[in-house]
Amino acid sequence: DTGVSQDPRHKITKRGQNVTFRCDPISEHNRLYWYRQTLGQGPEFLTYFQNEAQLEKSRLLSDRFSAERPKGSFSTLEIQRTEQGDSAMYLCASSRTGYTGELFFGEGSRLTVL
Amino acid sequence: KQEVTQIPAALSVPEGENLVLNCSFTDSAIYNLQWFRQDPGKGLTSLLLIQSSQREQTSGRLNASLDKSSGRSTLYIAASQPGDSATYLCAVSVDTGRRALTFGSGTRLQVQP
């Protein structure tokens, strides 16, 4: 299967710890997006990469959050000094420039902060 | 700012019924609209994509329509089955470079056997 892959699927951590999520997009998809979803809500946009360049960050992405996409392939999302309010599903999606614009999502990484 | 609303928030129907899920958006300058399905604790599965120049798309028992000028889309599910039980999300991408999606809160569908 060559879909979007996310790891880990579930992370439980204590408040104040750092966590990192990884996303492997569909190969040859040059656009990569991170979203956050809380219970009962639709996903909210966090940030967007085209190749290795981070072109936009939502104001939801506080200073404790950082995302990278070295070499324009996989991406990581790191949350420092986690807070209980960070508990959510973190979803990654990818798409291809100049195509239909259809986004393909991974299975998500669920974060629980105790 | 684009806002997407989905009505109803939850829906329960007996197996075999045809049903319609509604989605409205405030800014008609969209690039495309996607309907997704999400099972509990899972990621999003793309169901249908409608480009802004299109009126509808069909896939199996699913039909999605788009009225861009009025800011509305509907997802029609024919002959519903218990396996259709899930949350259905509507999302639009605005006509700017990043093509990121703005989502509604979803309609939680339960099909009773």
Side-chain angles (χ1 to χ4, degrees), chain A residues 31-84:
Chain A
R31 294 185 175 203
L32 187 147
Y33 305 81
W34 284 99
Y35 285 81
R36 182 173 70 185
Q37 186 180 27
T38 53
L39 202 62
Q41 300 298 314
E44 295 175 291
F45 170 76
L46 290 178
T47 190
Y48 150 66
F49 290 85
Q50 180 153 318
N51 301 312
E52 67 276 6
Q54 187 175 18
L55 297 185
E56 187 171 347
K57 294 192 290 186
S58 161
R59 48 192 174 78
L60 291 176
L61 215 65
S62 75
D63 291 344
R64 297 184 297 105
F65 288 69
S66 63
E68 294 182 342
R69 192 183 182 196
K71 304 178 183 177
S73 55
F74 72 91
S75 176
T76 58
L77 177 68
E78 180 184 17
I79 308 174
Q80 296 182 328
R81 305 182 304 281
T82 52
E83 302 173 355
Q84 288 186 324

Side-chain angles (χ1 to χ4, degrees), chain B residues 1-34:
Chain B
K1 178 189 171 187
Q2 179 74 270
E3 293 184 0
V4 180
T5 303
Q6 291 188 246
I7 294 173
L11 183 62
S12 181
V13 300
E15 181 177 4
E17 270 203 11
N18 303 325
L19 58 102
V20 174
L21 308 181
N22 296 293
C23 171
S24 62
F25 47 94
T26 54
D27 186 345
S28 62
I30 64 168
Y31 180 73
N32 62 32
L33 182 145
Q34 276 187 258

Side-chain angles (χ1 to χ4, degrees), chain B residues 59-70:
Chain B
S59 176
R61 294 183 293 109
L62 305 180
N63 175 278
S65 68
L66 173 64
D67 185 342
K68 185 179 166 183
S69 60
S70 68

